[in-house]
Each structure stands twice: as structure tokens, then as C-alpha cells.
Amino acid sequence: MSTHMSTPATFTVGLVQMRSGLTPAANLETALKLIGDAKTAGADYVQTPEMTNIMDIRRERMLATVVPEENDASLARLRELARALSIWLHVGSLAVKVSPDRAANRSFLIDPAGEIVARYDKIHMFDVDLAGGESYRESNSFKSGECAVAADLPWGRLGLTICYDLRFPALYRALAEAGTSFIAIPAAFTKQTGEAHWHILIRAARHREWLLRAGGRAGRPARERALDVWPFTGR
């Protein structure tokens, strides 16, 4: 938890860290509890990690489990919770089906009335080959987004990004030009890439005059930590 000065008032940020598994219903119950804990601790805005509803690298099984946004029970419950707690809830991302053979890695910003005020589909797919034989092809299962997204909070304008987007400065330049005060980076980096890049890239990004909210996934295989970074204003 941390409290930051902004206009018109202070606000408190809660970053949820959880280890999503293969079962959306179980993941949802964990998220609901942790969001409630954040509210109890005084959070006005709560962010969950990337892939809050499921983490499954097996394409066929994942696509057989996820559903379109309009049918997603996790999203419906999360909207209800935002309304019940009267908080701004930023769902780091959910896997939602957009075609028979693709899902979207989609963030949702939900207001205290439970309304979805912004959606962002992850643009930069995590297609990498790592030392030791690890290989990931996010583009085999997910359709990449096409547009940068920013949305207004009571305390300033928020830029929405997800995980591997952090490697691509053009997106952050576009969000800066859109007048953002804050950048959200919910993530599920792998252990290897998290150790190599997560903290380094977050520290590099803070040299922009932004406040960075980076909610990470806990446990193996992802090992990054949640970070809430003050803007660096020195020259």
C-alpha cells in the first residue's frame, strides 16, 4: 500500500499479488479476497496482475476454458465487487475469447459504480526463446491489441499497459503524449525474464515523470514483485 499526493486529493493504491492457476473459479475467489483485504487497508484503487482468471500455457486447454467477455463470470463478479466496495478496480488482465482460435489478453478498468470505463488489449505478444530451452509463443493463443488506451481517474489520467509492453518505448511515448500521469503495468513475467528485465526496466521507465504501478504475479514460474514507483524528477 502507498499513498500519493495528486489533484484534487490523496489516494491509496492496492497492488494484488497472486498465483493464478488453471481454474478460473478458484482464481476468482483468491482475487476477491485480496481485493477485499486491500479495501479494508484503505485502498481507493486496486490493481490485480496479468492473467487474473487463468494461467495456462497449453493453448487448446486454455481456449476450451475461457469465454467471451460478455459471458465471463469472473468479470461480472469483479464488477459487482467494485460496486459493493466503491473502489476503482483495475483488473490487470483476463483471458477472454475473441474467436474460436484466439483469446485477448485484456485489461479492464472498473469504476466505483461497477461500470467498465476502459478496456485495453495487450499489444506486444510475448514470443521468446530463452536459455535452457524455454520457449513462449503468446501470439499462438492471443490476438494482439491495436490501440494505446488511457482513462481518467479522479486523481489524473492512467495509461494502461501489460507486462511485455514494457519492452517497447513507443507505446509509453504515445501514452505520455496523451497526458498520462500514471502508468499501470500488471504483469506475469517468467522467472528468467523477470530477473533479467523487470526491475531494470521499471527503474528505467521511472525517469519519465510518471508514477508507475506494476502489479506482479507471485510464485513459480513468475517471480516478479509488485512495485509502486515514485516518479523520478531529477535531470
Side-chain angles (χ1 to χ4, degrees):
M1 290 290 183
S2 57
T3 303
H4 303 287
M5 293 300 299
S6 185
T7 303
T10 63
F11 71 107
T12 300
V13 173
L15 297 179
V16 168
Q17 198 167 17
M18 56 183 281
R19 184 181 180 185
S20 300
L22 301 177
T23 308
N27 298 330
L28 173 64
E29 292 307 314
T30 299
L32 294 175
K33 179 186 182 301
L34 293 173
I35 293 164
D37 290 347
K39 170 62 177 180
T40 299
D44 304 297
Y45 162 105
V46 180
Q47 181 194 120
T48 68
E50 179 184 21
M51 291 291 134
T52 294
N53 65 332
I54 189 170
M55 178 61 71
D56 191 350
I57 62 173
R58 289 178 54 180
R59 179 179 183 274
E60 292 78 10
R61 186 172 62 187
M62 185 274 293
L63 288 171
T65 302
V66 301
V67 297
E69 175 185 324
E70 58 271 21
N71 299 329
D72 193 283
S74 295
L75 179 59
R77 289 281 302 281
L78 290 164
R79 292 180 63 185
E80 290 172 2
L81 184 64
R83 182 168 54 250
L85 299 180
S86 191
I87 58 171
W88 286 86
L89 178 56
H90 182 177
V91 182
S93 81
L94 303 175
V96 294
K97 186 171 284 189
V98 294
S99 73
D101 62 352
R102 288 290 188 279
N105 188 343
R106 181 171 295 168
S107 283
F108 296 90
L109 181 63
I110 303 168
D111 71 13
E115 297 299 320
I116 298 170
V117 297
R119 295 169 175 82
Y120 167 70
D121 287 358
K122 183 179 180 182
I123 293 174
H124 301 98
M125 298 287 97
F126 187 57
D127 288 0
V128 297
D129 296 306
L130 304 175
E134 280 189 83
S135 180
Y136 297 89
R137 290 292 180 272
E138 190 175 16
S139 63
N140 286 345
S141 303
F142 291 89
K143 182 180 185 296
S144 62
E146 298 177 350
C147 299
V149 175
D152 290 327
L153 297 172
W155 314 280
R157 181 162 293 173
L158 174 69
L160 280 68
T161 71
I162 300 173
C163 199
Y164 198 56
D165 283 333
L166 184 60
R167 295 289 303 273
F168 299 88
L171 173 59
Y172 293 84
R173 189 175 304 116
L175 291 170
E177 291 171 354
T180 55
S181 303
F182 320 108
I183 297 288
I185 319 171
F189 268 106
T190 68
K191 180 179 186 295
Q192 188 172 339
T193 58
E195 289 175 347
H197 304 301
W198 178 244
H199 282 248
I200 293 170
L201 289 171
I202 291 289
R203 288 198 300 270
R206 66 178 267 189
H207 283 261
R208 302 291 308 189
E209 293 192 12
W210 288 317
L211 178 129
L212 301 172
R213 301 183 186 126
R217 181 174 179 266
R220 296 180 179 179
R223 282 293 190 87
E224 77 277 5
R225 296 293 179 260
L227 299 174
D228 197 10
V229 184
W230 284 88
F232 179 86
T233 56
R235 298 298 184 197

